[in-house]
Amino acid sequence: MKKYQVVGIGNAVVDVITQCDDSFLEQMGIGKGIMQLIETERAQLLYASMKDRVQAPGGSVANTLAGLGSLGLRTGFIGRVHDDALGRFYAQAMTDDGTDFVNAPVPGGELPTSRSMIFVTPDGERSMNTYLGISAELGPDDVPEDVASDAEIVFLEGYLFDKDKGKEAFIRLARTCRAAGGKAGISISDPFCVERHRDDFLNLIENEMDFVIGNEAEIRSLFQNNDLDADLARVSAICPLVVCTRSGDGVTIIRDGARTDVPVDRVVPVDATGAGDQFAAGFLYGLATGADMATAGRMGCVAAGEVISHMGARPEANLLQLFRRSNLT
């Protein structure tokens, strides 16, 4: 038995949340209801301006691992944080949630710990200001070989694909895991990232991955046309397992050429943040525990449905109990 059932690699971002009014947004020049990327000086200014802030470990794959940890799987996370207050908080919070944070915070790191500063106004709008920081500097030297080889599944976050050393880290993790008998997969994460690195994405999926998970827009971005069925056929020709989420239209899974369509119960979300991350958690739980594809897909839908029923990107209810109520375990 390997030490880890799932190891993820991705951005280690602290979510920092505070409440404010519209006049504060205007005073600080914060765009309401949108996400903006910011630089170091701006990040430090906004962080210092936040009163009664609440902090939580975030990042797409890290959120998925939190879901898997809550389901009882053995998980580890490869990420890069500075040895500063936020970095130490992030590493400890991941550990407290049951996931090994396998990289020690970097002393004298080149940049501060990554953070997304979220200002919530009384109308519920979330205005996000994201500083990528040291997390975006993750490279192959941050991938411990013993962790990669001792994982049954490794899961990669597409957001990290913008830098060459991020790509190199992915390849090292995937190859080391697969050489030891494990499986590697990727969350596409962002169609705009695909557009910037399409050839590299397709090469990675074809030559290094055992599975790929993406939503309809992300799958379409791989081939630049408007025929989803054709795109699914093309990506399934180069990857053994393809999972496509289609919002209220359900989920399509193609494994070794066999297609499974999973319906979803339509609900009005309270907060759609983390829906894709928790779908991945449910699906990967099914994959890691040997479930058939229909069951794994339904597990993903149940987990996603739970997280959109409340604020925040991580589950609050017991997912295993929800699976049992849906006759999935």
Side-chain angles (χ1 to χ4, degrees):
M1 184 174 67
K2 290 183 180 286
K3 181 176 181 179
Y4 299 107
Q5 289 165 287
V6 181
V7 167
I9 181 171
N11 280 306
V13 182
V14 179
D15 289 334
V16 189
I17 305 171
T18 192
Q19 294 182 327
C20 69
D21 55 25
D22 287 346
S23 63
F24 179 85
L25 296 182
E26 184 175 348
Q27 176 188 349
M28 300 301 294
I30 297 169
K32 184 173 180 177
I34 62 173
M35 193 282 283
Q36 295 175 295
L37 291 176
I38 57 176
E39 299 299 327
T40 305
E41 185 175 339
R42 174 75 169 162
Q44 292 170 336
L45 172 67
L46 291 182
Y47 185 74
S49 75
M50 302 179 86
K51 296 180 180 179
D52 300 321
R53 54 188 175 234
V54 176
Q55 298 177 170
S60 177
V61 162
N63 289 337
T64 295
L65 291 171
L68 288 167
S70 76
L71 285 162
L73 295 197
R74 304 182 305 278
T75 56
F77 180 62
I78 297 171
R80 189 172 178 85
V81 298
H82 192 150
D83 188 13
D84 54 17
L86 279 181
R88 292 188 292 273
F89 162 79
Y90 191 97
Q92 188 60 51
M94 290 293 291
T95 301
D96 291 345
D97 284 344
T99 293
D100 285 353
F101 190 80
V102 303
N103 306 88
V106 181
E110 60 272 31
L111 292 167
T113 293
S114 309
R115 66 204 68 177
S116 180
M117 285 156 287
I118 304 167
F119 296 85
V120 184
T121 43
D123 58 4
E125 285 277 8
R126 296 158 65 92
S127 306
M128 303 174 67
N129 298 263
T130 301
Y131 170 62
L132 294 178
I134 194 173
S135 182
E137 300 302 314
L138 186 144
D141 292 343
D142 296 305
V143 178
E145 187 168 335
D146 59 336
V147 172
S149 61
D150 212 6
E152 295 175 11
I153 296 170
V154 295
F155 189 48
L156 290 62
E157 181 180 308
Y159 288 122
L160 272 177
F161 215 65
D162 264 327
K163 292 195 174 183
D164 286 343
K165 54 186 172 182
K167 298 173 188 175
E168 292 167 10
F170 281 6
I171 291 171
R172 178 174 181 180
L173 177 62
R175 289 181 179 175
T176 305
C177 174
R178 297 176 87 198
K183 295 187 180 299
I186 189 170
S187 166
I188 297 177
S189 298
D190 182 7
F192 299 108
C193 188
V194 173
E195 289 172 11
R196 292 189 292 272
H197 307 280
R198 183 170 288 104
D199 289 344
D200 286 341
F201 251 108
L202 289 170
N203 183 62
L204 183 81
I205 291 169
E206 181 171 10
N207 296 306
E208 312 289 351
M209 296 292 104
D210 297 291
F211 65 91
V212 58
I213 299 175
N215 62 31
E216 185 173 351
E218 291 160 357
I219 294 292
R220 282 178 169 171
S221 69
L222 291 170
F223 301 105
Q224 296 178 284
N225 66 51
N226 291 318
D227 187 339
L228 180 61
D229 284 338
D231 291 340
L232 286 169
R234 290 178 71 179
V235 71
S236 64
I238 61 173
C239 188
L241 174 56
V242 179
V243 184
C244 177
T245 60
R246 296 180 290 120
S247 190
D249 292 327
V251 179
T252 296
I253 303 167
I254 303 177
R255 187 176 201 178
D256 297 326
R259 176 166 173 158
T260 301
D261 288 300
V262 180
V264 64
D265 295 327
R266 289 176 177 264
V267 296
V268 177
V270 173
D271 177 11
T273 307
D277 303 338
Q278 294 313 317
F279 171 84
F283 179 81
L284 289 176
Y285 177 81
L287 188 66
T289 56
D292 60 71
M293 289 297 94
T295 300
R298 289 177 62 203
M299 287 175 168
C301 293
V302 168
E306 190 284 334
V307 82
I308 66 174
S309 70
H310 56 76
M311 297 295 290
R314 298 190 172 191
E316 293 180 354
N318 185 309
L319 293 181
L320 269 181
Q321 288 183 2
L322 295 181
F323 290 171
R324 293 188 185 111
R325 289 176 197 164
S326 299
N327 298 316
L328 300 176
T329 59

